[in-house]
Amino acid sequence: MTYEIVIAGFGGQGVLSMGKILAYSGLMEDKEVSWMPSYGPEQRGGTSNVTVIVSDDAVSSPVVNDYDIVVALNQPSLDKFAPRVKPGGVLIYDTNGIHHVPGRTDIEIYEVDATEEANRMGNQKVFNMLILGALLSARPMLSINSVQKGLMKSLPERHHKLIPMNMEALAKGAELLKRHEP
């Protein structure tokens, strides 16, 4: 089992944190992982992406050209990374601000209304956990228990009181995942 994943969006959407949680969660299951962030100097508001590889085997290189899973949180990220989903792969996008979804038929395309749900929950900070829940619903590569341990490892101890809320958002994100119908 190997998943090569890119998560891309604007700075401030929790892109890098999501990748970090995914990587730590993989470590909790003794998987081989790679986490490689990429962001512009503007960070918040600028574009950022993170490549995460979760595998049963050694990861030979963190550099990936084509992905098993692309998670796009804005139109520029969707435009850039959707063509790089491997045939048979998965594209997941947040519906907010997306105006054009590729019409590829060789991949699975899912939408998640995470922005609206985060607003309903009254907390934009759970946005990334809603997305992560959707990702793990589309491809359950890691257990929810491992994600909770990954959260504990990646969040500073003073924020551990937020873990139950994040776990709730993770479960809700799985419910929000919908197959995109062109």
Side-chain angles (χ1 to χ4, degrees), residues 156-177:
E157 197 167 319
R158 68 183 183 278
H159 293 306
H160 282 194
K161 64 185 179 287
L162 303 174
I163 290 175
M165 178 183 60
N166 280 290
M167 296 306 294
E168 179 186 332
L170 192 75
K172 186 64 179 172
E175 295 172 18
L176 293 174
L177 185 73

Side-chain angles (χ1 to χ4, degrees), residues 96-164:
N96 185 51
I98 300 294
H99 307 292
H100 171 66
V101 179
R104 291 183 60 182
T105 57
D106 62 334
I107 62 174
E108 296 173 33
I109 302 176
Y110 295 95
E111 59 186 57
V112 184
D113 199 355
T115 300
E116 188 173 316
E117 183 60 31
N119 288 334
R120 255 195 304 274
M121 292 176 78
N123 188 347
Q124 276 299 314
K125 292 185 179 189
V126 298
F127 170 82
N128 63 342
M129 293 306 291
L130 291 164
I131 295 291
L132 188 57
L135 165 62
L136 292 173
S137 177
R139 290 293 183 268
M141 66 190 85
L142 300 165
S143 74
I144 297 304
N145 187 43
S146 295
V147 175
Q148 186 168 5
K149 290 177 183 174
L151 264 169
M152 291 178 78
K153 185 78 175 161
S154 63
L155 288 176
E157 197 167 319
R158 68 183 183 278
H159 293 306
H160 282 194
K161 64 185 179 287
L162 303 174
I163 290 175

Side-chain angles (χ1 to χ4, degrees), residues 17 27-28 38 43 46 71 86 90 94 140 155-156 158 161:
S17 296
L27 290 174
M28 297 300 127
S38 173
Q43 284 185 313
V71 178
K86 295 174 188 173
V90 173
D94 177 50
L155 288 176
R158 68 183 183 278
K161 64 185 179 287

